[in-house]
Amino acid sequence: KIIPKVIGWSAVWMMLLLLATLLTVVIVVRTDWGHRRILALALPAIQEQLAGHLKIGAVAGDLTHGLVLRDVEIDDVEHQPAVRIETLTAHYDLFALAHHTIDLTELKAEGAWVHARALRDGTLNLARLIKPSEPPSSPSAYQVRLGRVWVDLEARYQTLHGLLHLEGHATIAGGKVDA
């Protein structure tokens, strides 16, 4: 009679410990310290994919529903500024991952600046920001859904200069884009 009680109480304590751990993680990732830790972990992984250099000034948001990146800068392969974004806000649905969907319900870039230019070898700097990779052997099992995309952008190319406001949405699945 005592063994089932011990097993039952042990299971309850394990569930409470698991719940407390999850709650602690959710609370910690909402703090400035948690944001800095996430940035310190994510930035090197992102940087590995880029040929240029990425700098992110700060991370904010509650991370379970949205993320705000401030002072995002990407330099091209010749160490010249290529992209700057004052504030990049992404809202997403984490539960959609269970259905193999990356659901960005809103993506908003404010104070964006892009400087396209020819590199010494004649290629466009923006085309070389991401390191080349092998094409995937099969389409991704994940679908990407972009809800509302909103961008205010100042763009430059050599002597051309323009201001753009872009809005849109898209779904990417099986290598096909529906926009």
Side-chain angles (χ1 to χ4, degrees):
K1 226 175 179 183
I2 199 159
I3 291 177
K5 281 185 179 180
V6 169
I7 292 173
W9 279 109
S10 295
V12 168
W13 281 110
M14 291 300 286
M15 291 300 293
L16 288 174
L17 181 62
L18 178 63
L19 183 62
T21 301
L22 289 173
L23 185 59
T24 301
V25 168
V26 168
I27 291 170
V28 166
V29 299
R30 292 178 181 209
T31 67
D32 287 338
W33 181 86
H35 292 154
R36 286 192 304 273
R37 293 302 317 144
I38 289 169
L39 186 57
L41 292 170
L43 198 55
I46 297 167
Q47 187 62 55
E48 283 182 24
Q49 305 300 314
L50 298 175
H53 178 74
L54 172 66
K55 184 176 119 183
I56 300 174
V59 176
D62 89 9
L63 305 186
T64 54
H65 299 98
L67 177 71
V68 179
L69 303 178
R70 299 196 194 288
D71 302 320
V72 178
E73 297 180 11
I74 303 175
D75 291 341
D76 64 27
V77 295
E78 293 179 352
H79 309 289
Q80 298 299 314
V83 178
R84 288 187 186 144
I85 304 171
E86 289 176 11
T87 305
L88 180 63
T89 305
H91 294 278
Y92 42 80
D93 178 5
L94 283 179
F95 293 112
L97 290 172
H99 303 285
H100 296 280
T101 300
I102 299 169
D103 189 2
L104 295 170
T105 56
E106 182 179 60
L107 189 60
K108 184 175 186 180
E110 298 173 274
W113 174 90
V114 175
H115 184 196
R117 66 183 192 86
L119 298 172
R120 287 184 209 119
D121 66 3
T123 60
L124 188 65
N125 67 337
L126 301 177
R128 301 237 337 254
L129 289 179
I130 298 174
K131 289 179 182 174
S133 62
E134 295 294 319
S137 57
S138 63
S140 172
Y142 280 85
Q143 169 178 299
V144 177
R145 197 169 32 223
L146 296 174
R148 181 173 182 251
V149 178
W150 185 92
V151 179
D152 267 338
L153 173 72
E154 178 182 349
R156 296 174 184 258
Y157 179 71
Q158 296 176 353
T159 59
L160 300 175
H161 177 254
L163 299 174
L164 304 167
H165 175 79
L166 307 171
E167 290 191 46
H169 67 279
T171 299
I172 305 165
K176 296 178 183 173
V177 178
D178 177 24

